[in-house]
Amino acid sequence: MIKDNQLIALFNAPTRVLKAERLLRKDGFSCRLIPAPREVAEGCALALRFSVSDQTVILAELARHDLSPRRMYRKQDGGFLAVPVEEQA
Amino acid sequence: MAIYLDNAATTFPKPESVYQSVDTTFRNLGVNPGRGSYRLVLDAGHLVLEVRETVAGFFGITDSSRVVFCANATEAINMALFGILKAGDRVITTTMEHNAVSRPLHALTMRGVDVNRVQADADGRVQLSALRETVRNAPGPTRLVVLSHCSNVTGTVQPIEEIGNWCRREGILFMVDAAQSAGVLPIDVGAMGIDLLAAPGHKCLLGPPGTAILYVGRNLQPAPLIWGGTGGNSMSLLMPEELPERLESGTLNTPALAGLRAGIEFVNRMGLPKIHRHKMALLERLRRGLGNFPGIRCYGSTCAEHQGGVLSFNLEGRDPAEIGFLLDDEYGVCVRTGLHCAPDAHRSIGTLPSGTIRVSPGLFNTEKDIDALLAALEEIIGS
Ligand SMILES: Cc1ncc(COP(=O)(O)O)c(C=O)c1O
């Protein structure tokens, strides 16, 4: 579901993650909504998956629309490593 | 074409007659029933009344004015709980409830309502003896017992007739969340001692989204959840005392209600026993197929008599969310994973925090759909 070169971003509300996806798709970014893995989210959240190579531009675009994710993770050694959101934005 | 196996969320597709009724009504009778008095409005009013009577007949309700139309089961449940319960009242519920019941009850505890929970057994079943025990051990009298007829997580069917008749003898109000049972299992409010019944129209009654009903027993007069126009007695600033208007402010969804009637008529034509058998046969096929895989754990009862239309399971060591994703992404199979809005029920069966993979076939699913799901799972497990 998630590859090593991909990031997943979690938002604080279902409507926000949908808005973020719609915005990025309109901009032509490749991204996809997936169910958040149990390691990073309790109780049925959606996560936005995109490529690490798009990280900077995507976060800037989301920040510009006041849609910054709350948390981000990267897959590493079979686990999930938290990636700070603010530094990137 | 995707294989849809999430009918516990909402049934899809609907019978052709449902689509046609919605379309015909929307095109020919798309006026506001109860608002104004020209013929079209009266025709729409009659149509709504006929739907009310169809619903009443379906649940053994003698007075159709006690049937209130709502947007979904959640609204119906909120209307009942907030309309009936006051500070100081005690409610007994169970550890198997959907958030549609758990969250309003939690909100009501902030208003001084006391809530106690009966523990379900490992299959998710709530025994009358356990309920009696909880009522007996409570520090004060119990005003209301509320529970779901059939769990949306395990499919476990609760002995509501037994519980309802006991409540009636004890003078305790009895409310049933029939979200997963209406249109699958027989429900008769009189025989089952039900005072308040919440049922979605959009699930197994095969109606469109935006439809649900609340049945309010004869001696109850809930406070409204919403205040507004009811088409009559407009000079008064008070809501009418009469049902259903007291609880039905605002414009009704007439086309959807016409669709609901067509859905119930379809269910009536097919008959509940046949519907239940169809779902049980598909779930039994699934259960048997799953039995051939290593590391599968199924939840709920294996006894068809105690099961509604859902089966939950897990694959050892795998995140249900990932399995659901792969089923959708690579095989076009729609199942539900996670907590299904019912964390309490998952706590009861020991599946927090990841939940389960839930399969809920509909009337139009076939053995081929179950076999496709099994084949997909076999590949996922193998890889
Ligand atoms: C047991 C139970 N109660 C209540 C509901 C809520 O129904 P609705 O979506 O119509 O509000 C559901 C639906 O998932 C359910 O399964």
Side-chain angles (χ1 to χ4, degrees):
Chain A
M1 186 162 66
I2 303 155
K3 302 206 183 74
D4 280 356
N5 60 352
Q6 290 175 326
L7 285 168
I8 53 168
L10 274 73
F11 295 72
N12 53 356
T15 326
R16 282 174 62 83
V17 69
L18 291 173
K19 271 192 186 163
E21 189 221 14
R22 190 182 55 193
L23 169 73
L24 295 178
R25 287 203 172 218
K26 228 167 44 206
D27 290 347
F29 288 107
S30 126
C31 63
R32 168 140 190 201
L33 288 177
I34 63 165
R38 59 180 163 189
E39 290 87 345
V40 301
E42 267 194 6
C44 320
L46 282 175
L48 188 64
R49 182 186 79 185
F50 50 86
S51 163
V52 172
S53 57
D54 287 336
Q55 179 175 352
T56 317
V57 267
I58 282 188
L59 284 182
E61 178 66 0
L62 290 176
R64 215 157 60 76
H65 290 86
D66 202 17
L67 282 172
S68 290
R70 172 172 282 189
R71 291 180 280 143
M72 265 191 338
Y73 297 89
R74 178 175 190 163
K75 205 159 183 189
Q76 195 167 310
D77 307 325
F80 288 90
L81 191 71
V83 176
V85 176
E86 309 78 33
E87 273 173 42
Q88 319 292 327
Chain B
M1 192 46 189
I3 297 177
Y4 182 77
L5 290 168
D6 191 17
N7 289 274
T10 193
T11 49
F12 174 73
K14 311 290 182 187
E16 191 51 39
S17 58
V18 173
Y19 297 118
Q20 274 166 10
S21 298
V22 174
D23 188 72
T24 308
T25 307
F26 204 4
R27 285 176 198 282
N28 299 309
L29 214 49
V31 298
N32 200 330
R35 308 292 191 272
S37 54
Y38 42 90
R39 272 173 303 167
L40 269 179
V41 150
L42 299 180
D43 288 348
H46 281 297
L47 171 68
V48 169
L49 179 60
E50 285 166 18
V51 184
R52 228 184 273 287
E53 286 166 349
T54 304
V55 170
F58 189 78
F59 294 115
I61 297 163
T62 43
D63 177 1
S64 73
S65 68
R66 311 305 293 186
V67 173
V68 177
F69 289 126
C70 315
N72 48 50
T74 303
E75 187 180 282
I77 292 164
N78 274 267
M79 206 177 262
L81 294 175
F82 281 92
I84 293 292
L85 295 170
K86 309 176 300 294
D89 284 344
R90 176 174 310 282
V91 185
I92 310 280
T93 186
T94 85
T95 58
M96 290 304 290
E97 301 313 308
H98 190 277
N99 275 339
V101 169
S102 303
R103 284 180 171 172
L105 285 182
H106 180 72
L108 280 160
T109 61
M110 309 294 167
R111 302 184 182 187
V113 172
D114 289 310
V115 179
N116 296 90
R117 285 186 170 68
V118 188
Q119 182 68 47
D121 66 19
D123 284 348
R125 200 155 151 96
V126 176
Q127 306 292 349
L128 173 61
S129 53
L131 176 86
R132 276 207 305 245
E133 184 88 3
T134 308
V135 170
R136 204 174 307 125
N137 291 339
T142 297
R143 173 112 196 275
L144 175 81
V145 166
V146 52
L147 83 171
S148 55
H149 188 183
C150 173
S151 163
N152 68 313
V153 172
T154 59
T156 315
V157 175
Q158 309 299 0
I160 59 162
E161 181 157 7
E162 208 187 343
I163 294 176
N165 284 308
W166 179 78
C167 286
R168 181 153 291 177
R169 286 197 297 278
E170 297 289 315
I172 298 169
L173 293 173
F174 183 47
M175 170 167 166
V176 173
D177 167 4
Q180 296 299 339
S181 58
V184 185
L185 301 167
I187 297 176
D188 184 300
V189 296
M192 293 173 160
I194 298 171
D195 297 296
L196 294 152
L197 177 77
H202 65 96
K203 296 191 200 251
C204 297
L205 294 178
L206 305 175
T211 57
I213 67 106
L214 174 68
Y215 159 71
V216 180
R218 238 196 321 267
N219 304 319
L220 293 172
Q221 183 72 329
L225 191 62
I226 305 220
W227 283 259
T230 52
N233 202 15
S234 297
M235 282 298 284
S236 170
L237 276 172
L238 301 177
M239 289 299 286
E241 294 292 321
E242 300 76 34
L243 286 181
E245 287 76 17
R246 179 176 179 77
L247 301 177
E248 266 181 11
S249 302
T251 300
L252 288 172
N253 190 347
T254 314
L257 290 174
L260 172 60
R261 179 174 63 168
I264 295 176
E265 284 168 351
F266 188 95
V267 169
N268 278 335
R269 276 197 302 278
M270 187 166 233
L272 293 177
K274 188 166 170 198
I275 290 172
H276 189 241
R277 271 202 308 278
H278 174 76
K279 295 189 179 205
M280 288 305 106
L282 294 181
L283 290 179
E284 186 47 37
R285 189 178 185 85
L286 174 63
R287 198 185 274 274
R288 255 188 287 123
L290 289 174
N292 297 326
F293 300 152
I296 289 278
R297 168 95 201 262
C298 290
Y299 302 93
S301 167
T302 47
C303 165
E305 203 189 317
H306 293 166
Q307 279 296 107
V310 320
L311 177 63
S312 260
F313 64 95
N314 265 323
L315 280 170
E316 201 176 77
R318 302 287 290 261
D319 183 352
E322 187 208 2
I323 304 294
F325 176 81
L326 293 173
L327 283 173
D328 173 44
D329 199 48
E330 292 178 19
Y331 304 95
V333 178
C334 313
V335 300
R336 186 79 179 279
T337 64
L339 300 183
H340 319 102
C341 299
D344 281 349
H346 282 282
R347 192 174 295 115
S348 302
I349 61 166
T351 47
L352 277 186
S354 323
T356 56
I357 303 155
R358 181 186 78 179
V359 177
S360 51
L363 278 185
F364 303 112
N365 286 114
T366 62
E367 293 183 345
K368 253 173 65 188
D369 297 333
I370 298 298
D371 294 347
L373 166 64
L374 285 166
L377 283 169
E378 188 169 11
E379 276 190 37
I380 292 172
I381 294 170
S383 64

